[in-house]
Amino acid sequence: MNIRKILEKTGDMPTLPSVAARINSEILKESLTARRLGAIISEDAALTAKILRLANSAFYGLSSQVVSVEKAIIILGFNAVKNLALSISIYLFFRKGIKTNIDVQGLWNHCLGCAVAAKILVEKTDKRLGDDAFLFGIIHDIGKIILINNHLTEMEKVLGIMKEQKISQNAAENEVFGFTHQKLGGLLLKEWKFPENIIAGVRLHHDLPPNPKKLDHDAAQTIRALCIGNQMAKALTLGKSTDPGRMAIPPQMWKFLGAGKDDLPALSARIKEEYGNILTAWAAK
Ligand SMILES: [Fe+2]
Ligand SMILES: [Fe+2]
């Protein structure tokens, strides 16, 4: 199957929800101010309600209630709120009504678990990068969900082959589609005008260690946290990835994040607790 054809085929090209598309295009034009962000989000009542619910959850642990998007931007920060809006837009692709034995809810929860783990890991050395790491986690398996939504039969075949031949999802994807979900995800994010760093994160999330060539320091750190976060989400069974196989994490990757194997029990406990917090807030109606 030709990856370009999948992207180009009319009607199959998944479009990004309009709020996220507007946010990305304003970032590209460097015109996205806190005021503009607040205005774009506020036009969408459901998105506003969800952002406020998450901002007031135990995950962010604020001491007082936030009642407006503008306040959320001031207290949580511009980047946190922008990335929450993008995360909620990505969530819309995880359609639970779809008739399949693939666990779509489990896959979403895995992405949420990966987001929490990546955020906590990167914040060990650099608090500034936490909100980006969270979004990287949410979006990292976007290629999988697009394939589930648009090429379900083939995707079910991928999972069948994985079980039969005891091979990784990437190997089975190459067999069925001729490309991997991370490659498709990277190309999609390019179409959707996401910044280069996050495209690199999606493309490299199965590369251990990811080759940070041409990446700046912040991107390389965030991507390392994403790669480890993905493995930790599987190890701690946060949600259910479609590919339960785990990869060993090279010790130098831990070093970059200021951690080692000794830190694992404490890190795991924190990740599990925060995952519980965000899961509750995300599911609340
Ligand atoms: Fe993946
Ligand atoms: Fe994953």
Side-chain angles (χ1 to χ4, degrees), residues 3-251:
I3 195 165
R4 273 279 143 210
K5 280 225 174 88
I6 288 202
L7 286 165
E8 281 160 14
K9 223 168 121 197
T10 352
D12 269 3
M13 177 65 205
T15 50
L16 194 64
S18 77
V19 169
R22 282 167 70 195
I23 289 176
N24 279 351
S25 92
E26 294 230 11
I27 292 172
L28 212 64
K29 289 186 285 180
E30 291 178 10
S31 55
L32 189 69
T33 58
R35 217 192 153 98
R36 278 293 302 148
L37 178 66
I40 293 172
I41 293 172
S42 300
E43 279 176 38
D44 186 327
L47 178 65
T48 302
K50 187 136 194 159
I51 286 182
L52 293 180
R53 197 162 59 234
L54 290 165
N56 288 313
S57 73
F59 184 67
Y60 289 102
L62 301 179
S63 50
S64 60
Q65 285 270 311
V66 165
V67 290
S68 70
V69 172
E70 288 72 24
K71 261 272 148 56
I73 294 173
I74 294 167
I75 295 174
L76 286 183
F78 171 81
N79 211 29
V81 175
K82 175 194 68 117
N83 286 356
L84 272 184
L86 293 172
S87 298
I88 295 163
S89 301
I90 293 301
Y91 176 62
L92 298 177
F93 288 99
F94 289 75
R95 299 191 313 223
K96 265 73 70 192
I98 194 164
K99 269 209 173 76
T100 173
N101 48 18
I102 300 178
D103 187 353
V104 173
Q105 179 70 51
L107 178 59
W108 165 255
N109 289 354
H110 159 74
C111 294
L112 210 48
C114 175
V116 171
K119 181 177 193 286
I120 289 174
L121 286 164
V122 88
E123 283 182 348
K124 250 183 95 50
T125 50
D126 198 335
K127 285 249 178 277
R128 288 175 313 129
L129 303 178
D131 297 313
D132 278 352
F134 183 85
L135 177 62
F136 279 36
I138 292 288
I139 221 167
H140 78 285
D141 275 334
I142 185 75
K144 282 186 187 175
I145 197 68
I146 296 303
L147 288 171
I148 292 170
N149 289 348
N150 297 281
H151 299 276
L152 182 60
T153 317
E154 290 88 344
M155 212 36 182
E156 286 173 340
K157 198 170 161 192
V158 164
L159 299 196
I161 290 176
M162 282 168 67
K163 267 198 194 140
E164 267 166 39
Q165 302 181 14
K166 299 200 173 23
I167 55 174
S168 69
Q169 180 154 355
N170 272 182
E173 285 168 343
N174 273 322
E175 209 170 291
V176 173
F177 292 107
F179 56 83
T180 62
H181 67 276
Q182 63 267 32
K183 182 161 186 200
L184 177 70
L187 286 171
L188 228 123
L189 259 49
K190 211 178 166 104
E191 298 277 344
W192 288 345
K193 299 188 170 54
F194 272 87
E196 276 305 319
N197 286 355
I198 191 161
I199 295 173
V202 168
R203 230 172 358 93
L204 299 173
H205 77 263
H206 287 285
D207 292 9
L208 291 174
N211 185 354
K213 239 190 258 163
K214 289 196 227 149
L215 294 170
D216 60 35
H217 167 270
D218 289 358
Q221 281 294 84
T222 315
I223 293 171
R224 287 184 189 109
L226 166 68
C227 292
I228 300 182
N230 187 30
Q231 301 303 321
M232 285 193 77
K234 293 185 197 193
L236 301 172
T237 21
L238 311 179
K240 189 167 177 277
S241 171
T242 48
D243 185 2
R246 276 187 275 141
M247 296 165 84
I249 297 157

Side-chain angles (χ1 to χ4, degrees), residues 121 228 232 235-236 249 254 259-271:
L121 286 164
I228 300 182
M232 285 193 77
L236 301 172
I249 297 157
W254 283 113
K261 283 222 162 102
D262 294 349
D263 298 303
L264 263 177
L267 271 172
S268 304
R270 251 207 85 201
I271 290 168

